Amino acid sequence: GENVEQHPSTLSVQEGDSAVIKCTYSDSASNYFPWYKQELGKGPQLIIDIRSNVGEKKDQRIAVTLNKTAKHFSLHITETQPEDSAVYFCAAITSGTYKYIFGTGTRLKVLA
Amino acid sequence: EAQVTQNPRYLITVTGKKLTVTCSQNMNHEYMSWYRQDPGLGLRQIYYSMNVEVTDKGDVPEGYKVSRKEKRNFPLILESPSPNQTSLYFCASSRSGTAKDRYEQYFGPGTRLTVT
């Protein structure tokens, strides 16, 4: 079946450095790619998303890139801060369905 | 306050004892979904509903049932729970409209279920 691979599973960075999380999806019909942030003890929260007709999207310190040919998409966080520490999930959805396929998550630790 | 609520937040039960986890949203959202979260496996979709009386299977529907009789509620039913259903469960909802509207999910706080 469809799946989304996410790497790395854990990532530690120094405050102020950049963090990159990568995902690969299998279903070529996927066309919507959100990223969620989950803080300890809470449900995931959408932080940014990208559609298949766009190669890059930026929102302040967060950016997402998409390579449809390679079926890769990545989350980039610049100037990381301690409050960026959380688990991040990527996901892929196929338009016309409501079937969400999530990656396995990346635990990001920003060291002060 | 716009929110998705789940009850109970914590539940310890025994194998075979039927249970229901309730989910309610006050945002008039059409779409609702249930997920389970397990270490190393991320979030896996159990069932989803695109409107009242419309439900469909996600990736891991075995052992679960859902119903959508009202727009705001989407209960998850475990008819005969087993230890492999021990997990953290999340309910989520989103509105109809643009693709972004449909896919921007609002998650509840989670229900931690232990089946012994």
Side-chain angles (χ1 to χ4, degrees), chain A residues 8 21 25 31 43 56 60-61 71 80 82 86 97 99 102 106:
Chain A
I21 302 169
Y25 61 97
N31 58 357
E56 183 174 359
Q60 299 182 340
R61 294 186 298 108
K71 297 184 191 170
T80 53
T97 76
K99 239 182 173 179
F102 278 90
T106 296

Side-chain angles (χ1 to χ4, degrees), chain A residues 2 32 36 38 41-44 46 49 51 57 89 93-105, chain B residues 31-33 35 37 40-43 45 48 50 57-59 90 94 99-100 102-105 107-109:
Chain A
E2 299 92 345
Y32 178 78
Y36 284 81
Q38 185 180 27
K42 296 185 178 179
L46 180 73
D49 54 48
R51 296 202 64 184
K57 185 176 178 181
F89 291 99
I93 301 99
T94 303
S95 181
T97 76
Y98 196 56
K99 239 182 173 179
Y100 251 82
I101 307 294
F102 278 90
T104 49
Chain B
Y31 294 80
M32 298 186 75
S33 195
Y35 296 89
Q37 183 175 9
L41 296 177
L43 290 150
Q45 194 174 39
Y48 60 93
M50 297 171 81
K57 296 177 181 178
D59 253 3
F90 287 101
S94 60
K100 180 175 168 58
R102 290 197 297 277
Y103 300 132
E104 181 176 357
Q105 296 186 99
F107 280 81

Side-chain angles (χ1 to χ4, degrees), chain B residues 81-101:
Chain B
S82 61
N84 64 12
Q85 293 179 298
T86 292
S87 188
L88 179 58
Y89 291 87
F90 287 101
C91 179
S93 73
S94 60
R95 57 183 181 269
S96 64
T98 65
K100 180 175 168 58
D101 289 337

